[in-house]
Amino acid sequence: MAAPLVLVLVVAVTVRAALFRSSLAEFISERVEVVSPLSSWKRVVEGLSLLDLGVSPYSGAVFHETPLIIYLFHFLIDYAELVFMITDALTAIALYFAIQDFNKVVFKKQKLLLELDQYAPDVAELIRTPMEMRYIPLKVALFYLLNPYTILSCVAKSTCAINNTLIAFFILTTIKGSAFLSAIFLALATYQSLYPLTLFVPGLLYLLQTRHINPNSAAAVHTCENEEQSLLDLFLGVCHDVCGKPSGNHLPLLLPSQLLGFHPRSLWLYINVFFYTIPLAIKLKEHPIFFMFIQIAVIAIFKSYPTVGDVALYMAFFPVWNHLYRFLRNIFVLTCIIIVCSLLFPVLWHLWIYAGSANSNFFYAITLTFNVGQILLISDYFYAFLRREYYLTHGLYLTAKDGTEAMLVLK
Amino acid sequence: MGLLSDPVRRRALARLVLRLNAPLCVLSYVAGIAWFLALVFPPLTQRTYMSENAMGSTMVEEQFAGGDRARAFARDFAAHRKKSGALPVAWLERTMRSVGLEVYTQSFSRKLPFPDETHERYMVSGTNVYGILRAPRAASTESLVLTVPCGSDSTNSQAVGLLLALAAHFRGQIYWAKDIVFLVTEHDLLGTEAWLEAYHDVNVTGMQSSPLQGRAGAIQAAVALELSSDVVTSLDVAVEGLNGQLPNLDLLNLFQTFCQKGGLLCTLQGKGLQTLLLMVLRQASGRPHGSHGLFLRYRVEALTLRGINSFRQYKYDLVAVGKALEGMFRKLNHLLERLHQSFFLYLLPGLSRFVSIGLYMPAVGFLLLVLGLKALELWMQLHEAGMGLEEPGGAPGPSVPLPPSQAMGLALYVLPVLGQHVATQHFPVAEAEAVVLTLLAIYAAGLALPHNTHRVVSTQAPDRGWMALKLVALIYLALQLGCIALTNFSLGFLLATTMVPTAALAKPHGPRTLYAALLVLTSPAATLLGSLFLWRELQEAPLSLAEGWQLFLAALAQGVLEHHTYGALLFPLLSLGLYPCWLLFWNVLFWK
């Protein structure tokens, strides 16, 4: 399977290189949907030049990146385009191997449940076969690399791509079963933006399950949790020593409250990301990778400065849930909504800023519609997943008590 | 749990959409057209009113009396111009300086992508001359512009004379709070574009121009003047600008107020529905109908005033025009901020009536609803048949015509200008003709596409493959028309009227020749041809077929030129966006 992956990588790199050299690169790097104040390349350059002048990059509230990013680009500023192309390639490769291993786990689990007779007798068409799952890792890599959102983020040199790489490696190491490495990558991702902290829970659940420990066992949970928590603390401590700045300076800086001129009510919106973790953990404790997918989507929707790069990460997972297609109910309307909103972003921006006729309400209405579309999409996938699980255990052709065909309704 | 998730209600809705689809589509289309036509009637239109307070409540007394001086200047200018053959730069500089302005010149040059047959130019170079009247007690932060475009075909000498006389009059007043720039451009629109680009320090169109030596602050408003004779019977106003952009309605209201005050007859071509249709056609063409069209891109509200000398009884001399302009500039002088109170997007069924965007947008909404309904119906039919695309990529069949169609569009955009030299070597035609003929050739070559793609489509592609292709094409068309209608309503509406019904009807079964003929008649090029005939018909100068064809070829050449010289978007939109989409429907029609 290596050859098709290499081909996909070559095509992706060519597309990105072509766009980097074209006149569109500058236009894209200023688009609000692609770069945010937290991930803009211009601000990274600003921070680096401030550092060169001997001024603290954090004075002036322009630079919001982490010190590690400064150190990374201090040496690689001349090869920035190459760095971003490599990060995209690394993300795709990480996702490829992660999903490859995940498919094996899924198949093993399915076999186990079949042998234990956990499935109803008439669900033959819902059982997944290795044949249909063969091309999924390649499709995941394809979906990530050739997604227009990813290409735009790469051409704009948004640091969101680096965050995506770290999360992808976190997923890879979690699926491979290495708690130590996954903790390191999670710590790095959380260090850059606070939200990946919520991925701690699904990661923990997955690691526990692969060690065949009952997740309800409190003691086992605690040891694993402690391991990860201590690694997280250790890492943050190491970071703050290395960077020589009191950690109070940059971690609170990364909190949205400080960035936006803190308003008490707006805090609830950002905490939204963390609200969903516990209910999802309760409902999806048997399926931690799906939980991780939903959590990444929730982060992309509810984070304070969402960009299309975050959307691209969870969109890459759609081929993994291909088998849910028949249970998705609104996929047509939702795809149309998302495409229309993506196209209307630049049109309404032009009307607002250049034609002077629309105003910010139009533009923000479209961002709201885009978010509503994403929320409906995620809830559709969630519903489809649950529905499939229900059918697997209760049989595909449901009959009511009097023998007529029954319908499954979500209450 | 709501419409989207309740299975019972979903099934009812699905049945409704499938069964009543055709009547709903027809009803929606008719409603859209009827809505648009109804925009002419008084209950739906509003009288124009001045929204900007700063321009409304002040009284001005016009004192311009320099009619003789204007005529003298005009005679001198015409004489010098005839002598030198181009703009008499030295004379203009001298005269402006004698009137009391700060005078600067700017030279520019541009090599057009291919020779312009209508204006007979290829390598254009010229000089703009402008004089700045500095406001006596202000800080030169804002300015107004009075511009007179001088081209080789329209000498516009009376306008230059009036400009100079007005400058002399304005120089003697103390109430100016903004600088006034009196601009005379050569090669009309090209000179104006060069000046604007240099003024705002950008390079959008590849014009080479010398940098400006003197500036006057942010331009708040501009008026372009075109006069062809000493006396006028009416003043015509042009509002449509580049890519269908319109100035703020307040500027038009201002002009109308002063015409009424001075008893000057101001007109907008046509009456009632005729005016509305003419405005729609002008806005849809995306051409700058006057120098003002280029100012709008820089967020400067601008109008063009044209003096018409027709066979009416009462004639006005230059003093009346001068007084109207003086009044307008004095009122504009009172502005505290840029014009933003009134509408930016409107339609004019008459000079004193307008239709705002909230009222005319539903017309195009109804038309696009037809596409949405058809797409929904196709999706449900595909889902029922069980062919539901497993992944968005789908079977190879439906998506095969997509890349070739887009490639044809790209060829249509790039090849004519690139290949003009090759064409002139092999065929005995001039460059402009070569460009136009290449355009038509590539356009017609696209019609042969279905024969070629059939070899690639596998024989396994089910009969339903065309439905998936049509679904994608319908969504593509709806998206494009929606985006176009938001920025340029007239273009979106015009294209929707012609393309929507045939797009909805296209299918491989049924009377294929009839559908093919319909599809060709509503293709983007045919729409352009038809609208040219309609435009001349509305101006009461109907065309014969041969003349129409010549005008069509000239319009094609102008369209390509304007894209390269001013950045007009009609040509790229049609070639890169709508033509590939139309080809997809053509492929659906000829699906085997």
Side-chain angles (χ1 to χ4, degrees):
Chain A
M1 286 294 253
L5 181 63
V6 169
L7 184 65
V8 166
L9 282 172
V10 164
V11 168
V13 168
T14 316
V15 169
R16 284 162 172 76
L19 277 174
F20 269 129
R21 290 280 161 263
S22 76
S23 57
L24 286 174
E26 278 197 34
F27 169 69
I28 294 174
S29 54
E30 287 167 14
R31 298 293 324 153
V32 169
E33 310 93 22
V34 186
V35 293
S36 71
L38 293 181
S39 60
S40 159
W41 177 248
K42 265 197 261 197
R43 290 170 185 252
V44 173
V45 172
E46 172 86 12
L48 283 171
S49 28
L50 282 174
L51 192 67
D52 284 338
L53 289 171
V55 182
S56 160
Y58 295 103
S59 59
V62 163
F63 184 74
H64 301 297
E65 301 283 352
T66 62
L68 275 185
I69 298 280
I70 299 186
Y71 279 114
L72 176 71
F73 283 111
H74 195 58
F75 305 108
L76 296 175
I77 184 85
D78 295 325
Y79 309 106
E81 297 173 2
L82 211 57
V83 168
F84 281 100
M85 285 199 273
I86 291 177
T87 47
D88 268 358
L90 283 176
T91 315
I93 295 174
L95 288 174
Y96 178 87
F97 287 113
I99 300 300
Q100 214 174 34
D101 279 347
F102 175 60
N103 278 346
K104 293 194 193 122
V105 168
V106 159
F107 194 60
K108 236 191 300 186
K109 192 172 170 191
Q110 186 172 256
K111 211 160 88 168
L112 185 70
L113 287 172
L114 270 175
E115 282 170 11
L116 292 176
D117 257 342
Q118 293 267 0
Y119 289 160
D122 57 350
V123 294
E125 57 197 71
L126 291 182
I127 302 293
R128 306 178 67 193
T129 61
M131 273 323 286
E132 79 186 37
M133 298 188 346
R134 200 160 163 245
Y135 287 107
I136 289 181
L138 185 66
K139 280 187 199 151
V140 168
L142 197 77
F143 259 51
Y144 184 74
L145 284 173
L146 297 182
N147 193 345
Y149 294 153
T150 328
I151 298 180
L152 285 176
S153 286
C154 183
V155 174
K157 293 197 274 236
S158 155
T159 53
C160 176
I162 299 179
N163 205 10
N164 284 356
T165 315
L166 293 171
I167 296 179
F169 271 99
F170 160 70
I171 298 175
L172 174 65
T173 47
T174 312
I175 293 183
K176 290 272 188 199
S178 158
F180 179 69
L181 283 174
S182 83
I184 288 187
F185 283 113
L186 185 64
L188 280 170
T190 310
Y191 177 63
Q192 197 181 353
S193 92
L194 196 54
Y195 302 103
L197 188 59
T198 51
L199 295 174
F200 178 67
V201 180
L204 186 65
L205 280 171
Y206 187 84
L207 286 169
L208 288 175
Q209 284 179 5
T210 50
R211 292 181 194 183
H212 300 293
I213 301 173
N214 186 354
N216 289 328
S217 150
V221 166
H222 275 309
T223 46
C224 231
E225 219 176 70
N226 280 340
E227 199 177 86
E228 296 215 0
Q229 186 64 38
S230 56
L231 278 170
L232 199 69
D233 287 334
L234 171 69
F235 189 72
L236 288 174
V238 163
C239 278
H240 116 239
D241 283 332
V242 160
C243 308
K245 290 179 183 37
S247 60
N249 238 6
H250 50 255
L251 251 190
L253 254 179
L254 294 177
L255 281 175
S257 55
Q258 299 258 359
L259 290 169
L260 303 173
F262 177 56
H263 183 92
R265 265 182 285 174
S266 53
L267 186 63
W268 296 114
L269 193 62
Y270 312 130
I271 291 197
N272 225 341
V273 179
F274 302 95
F275 273 166
Y276 290 101
T277 315
I278 306 296
L280 282 173
I282 296 170
K283 190 75 192 170
L284 291 174
K285 62 177 182 287
E286 313 275 324
H287 314 283
I289 297 294
F290 189 72
F291 177 14
M292 218 182 277
F293 162 67
I294 300 277
Q295 188 63 58
I296 294 177
V298 163
I299 293 176
I301 297 169
F302 290 109
K303 76 190 287 193
S304 52
Y305 285 102
T307 62
V308 294
D310 307 303
V311 176
L313 183 62
Y314 77 79
M315 279 179 102
F317 282 95
F318 285 156
V320 184
W321 319 115
N322 236 341
H323 54 284
L324 296 176
Y325 181 77
R326 57 183 291 181
F327 300 113
L328 289 173
R329 291 175 307 168
N330 302 318
I331 192 71
F332 177 62
V333 173
L334 291 173
T335 319
C336 284
I337 289 180
I338 291 195
I339 295 180
V340 167
C341 287
S342 310
L343 276 184
L344 281 182
F345 272 127
V347 171
L348 287 175
W349 177 264
H350 172 87
L351 274 181
W352 173 22
I353 302 286
Y354 294 108
S357 56
N359 55 34
S360 58
N361 291 325
F362 292 70
F363 187 72
Y364 289 113
I366 286 295
T367 50
L368 279 177
T369 317
F370 189 69
N371 277 342
V372 164
Q374 286 186 75
I375 293 170
L376 286 173
L377 185 66
I378 297 304
S379 52
D380 216 12
Y381 263 97
F382 191 54
Y383 175 79
F385 191 84
L386 293 176
R387 201 165 152 189
R388 181 174 173 270
E389 294 301 311
Y390 186 84
Y391 278 144
L392 277 177
T393 45
H394 291 88
L396 195 53
Y397 300 103
L398 307 165
T399 52
K401 289 208 184 71
D402 53 0
T404 54
E405 193 191 338
M407 238 178 353
L408 201 56
V409 175
L410 189 69
K411 281 262 180 266
Chain B
M1 210 176 109
L3 198 57
L4 280 180
S5 32
D6 187 354
V8 177
R9 277 189 236 158
R10 277 172 71 89
R11 271 197 211 150
L13 184 68
R15 261 204 305 271
L16 185 77
V17 169
L18 279 175
R19 211 154 13 118
L20 293 180
N21 198 287
L24 274 179
C25 285
V26 170
L27 192 66
S28 189
Y29 183 75
V30 167
I33 304 285
W35 189 288
F36 178 74
L37 292 174
L39 289 175
V40 191
F41 295 109
L44 281 177
T45 63
Q46 290 168 276
R47 289 203 72 86
T48 54
Y49 53 93
M50 194 71 90
S51 303
E52 172 70 54
N53 273 331
M55 292 205 303
S57 53
T58 48
M59 295 286 288
V60 294
E61 277 292 331
E62 300 94 6
Q63 287 154 351
F64 180 67
D68 295 324
R69 212 168 167 192
R71 275 190 289 275
F73 280 135
R75 272 196 299 274
D76 273 346
F77 176 75
H80 276 90
R81 197 208 167 103
K82 210 188 295 204
K83 204 163 51 165
S84 67
L87 202 67
V89 177
W91 179 84
L92 266 175
E93 275 189 273
R94 247 190 348 259
T95 323
M96 280 190 177
R97 212 162 272 136
S98 73
V99 161
L101 307 173
E102 273 178 42
V103 189
Y104 304 95
T105 58
Q106 181 213 11
S107 59
F108 64 93
S109 72
R110 177 84 155 98
K111 181 164 166 235
L112 298 177
F114 55 89
D116 185 356
E117 307 265 295
T118 10
H119 300 285
E120 279 154 26
R121 56 191 181 192
Y122 183 40
M123 299 268 314
V124 179
S125 65
T127 321
N128 295 328
V129 182
Y130 63 106
I132 306 183
L133 170 63
R134 298 279 178 198
R137 288 177 294 185
S140 288
T141 44
E142 294 168 351
S143 58
L144 303 166
V145 174
L146 177 63
T147 173
V148 170
C150 292
S152 48
D153 41 349
S154 60
T155 50
N156 229 353
S157 38
Q158 277 83 15
V160 175
L162 186 58
L163 176 119
L164 293 166
L166 275 174
H169 175 73
F170 286 175
R171 185 73 177 79
Q173 313 301 327
I174 55 166
Y175 45 68
W176 296 112
K178 304 185 205 293
D179 293 349
I180 307 188
V181 179
F182 296 91
L183 172 67
V184 179
T185 58
E186 198 171 359
H187 297 293
D188 45 73
L189 293 177
L190 281 174
T192 317
E193 182 64 30
W195 189 82
L196 280 168
E197 281 189 11
Y199 196 89
H200 292 95
D201 212 11
V202 293
N203 197 342
V204 188
T205 60
M207 184 88 68
Q208 284 116 13
S209 50
S210 63
L212 294 184
Q213 303 296 325
R215 280 191 174 78
I219 308 179
Q220 304 292 308
V223 177
L225 192 60
E226 290 176 22
L227 291 174
S228 48
S229 64
D230 276 352
V231 291
V232 293
T233 52
S234 62
L235 271 181
D236 213 25
V237 61
V239 292
E240 303 82 8
L242 187 63
N243 294 328
Q245 217 175 343
L246 298 169
N248 198 303
L249 193 58
D250 265 342
L251 199 57
L252 194 65
N253 299 336
L254 183 70
F255 167 66
Q256 205 216 335
T257 318
F258 277 100
C259 284
Q260 274 178 346
K261 186 174 178 195
L264 197 61
L265 184 64
C266 47
T267 55
L268 203 57
Q269 240 177 338
K271 45 185 156 314
L273 185 63
Q274 218 178 354
T275 318
L276 188 67
L277 283 176
L278 275 172
M279 181 177 175
V280 164
L281 285 173
R282 273 197 302 259
Q283 198 184 1
S285 71
R287 312 183 64 193
H289 291 269
S291 307
H292 72 287
L294 299 171
F295 279 86
L296 293 170
R297 189 182 6 208
Y298 300 93
R299 259 298 25 94
V300 175
E301 314 305 335
L303 280 179
T304 296
L305 302 178
R306 284 196 187 100
I308 310 270
N309 193 2
S310 64
F311 297 107
R312 278 182 222 264
Q313 192 80 349
Y314 198 76
K315 297 195 190 281
Y316 306 91
D317 64 346
L318 287 179
V319 177
V321 182
K323 277 196 173 156
L325 281 171
E326 181 194 354
M328 280 178 77
F329 271 83
R330 281 198 69 176
K331 278 268 177 100
L332 285 172
N333 189 32
H334 291 134
L335 280 179
L336 299 167
E337 41 189 1
R338 281 183 202 269
L339 287 166
H340 66 282
Q341 299 281 8
S342 190
F343 298 90
F344 285 98
L345 299 166
Y346 50 87
L347 285 177
L348 296 172
L351 193 56
S352 54
R353 308 202 80 90
F354 76 99
V355 182
S356 77
I357 181 169
L359 214 50
Y360 68 61
M361 239 350 162
V364 90
F366 277 122
L367 291 179
L368 293 180
L369 185 63
V370 175
L371 294 175
L373 282 172
K374 260 284 177 284
L376 210 58
E377 182 202 15
L378 278 173
W379 174 262
M380 286 182 198
Q381 283 175 344
L382 278 174
H383 230 62
E384 267 178 20
M387 198 215 129
L389 309 161
E390 285 295 309
E391 300 96 31
S399 57
V400 160
L402 269 166
S405 306
Q406 208 61 50
M408 286 301 293
L410 197 63
L412 192 66
Y413 177 69
V414 161
L415 279 182
V417 176
L418 268 187
Q420 57 177 309
H421 297 294
V422 176
T424 44
Q425 275 172 3
H426 293 279
F427 300 99
V429 288
E431 274 103 351
E433 286 170 359
V435 169
V436 173
L437 290 174
T438 322
L439 268 176
L440 290 172
I442 300 180
Y443 195 90
L447 296 178
L449 207 58
H451 293 286
N452 299 326
T453 52
H454 274 161
R455 297 200 202 111
V456 189
V457 169
S458 66
T459 48
Q460 287 181 338
D463 176 54
R464 302 289 178 155
W466 65 266
M467 286 175 127
L469 177 63
K470 188 173 171 189
L471 181 64
V472 170
L474 282 172
I475 297 179
Y476 192 23
L477 183 66
L479 278 176
Q480 279 183 28
L481 288 178
C483 290
I484 293 176
L486 272 178
T487 43
N488 186 349
F489 165 78
S490 307
L491 185 62
F493 184 75
L494 200 63
L495 289 168
T497 331
T498 48
M499 291 186 81
V500 160
T502 46
L505 283 175
K507 55 177 182 267
H509 319 297
R512 203 175 259 200
T513 33
L514 176 67
Y515 284 157
L518 272 177
L519 205 56
V520 168
L521 278 178
T522 54
S523 70
T527 311
L528 180 62
L529 184 62
S531 42
L532 276 174
F533 275 105
L534 180 65
W535 183 53
R536 288 296 283 261
E537 189 68 45
L538 287 170
Q539 285 182 321
E540 281 145 25
L543 293 169
S544 66
L545 270 175
E547 283 173 6
W549 182 253
Q550 288 301 319
L551 195 61
F552 176 63
L553 294 179
L556 284 178
Q558 282 297 306
V560 179
L561 259 182
E562 270 165 21
H563 169 62
H564 285 122
T565 47
Y566 310 127
L569 289 175
L570 186 65
F571 174 57
L573 272 173
L574 286 184
S575 60
L576 289 173
L578 284 158
Y579 176 64
C581 198
W582 182 84
L583 273 183
L584 288 177
F585 285 108
W586 185 255
N587 274 294
V588 166
L589 191 61
F590 285 98
W591 191 271
K592 211 174 294 286

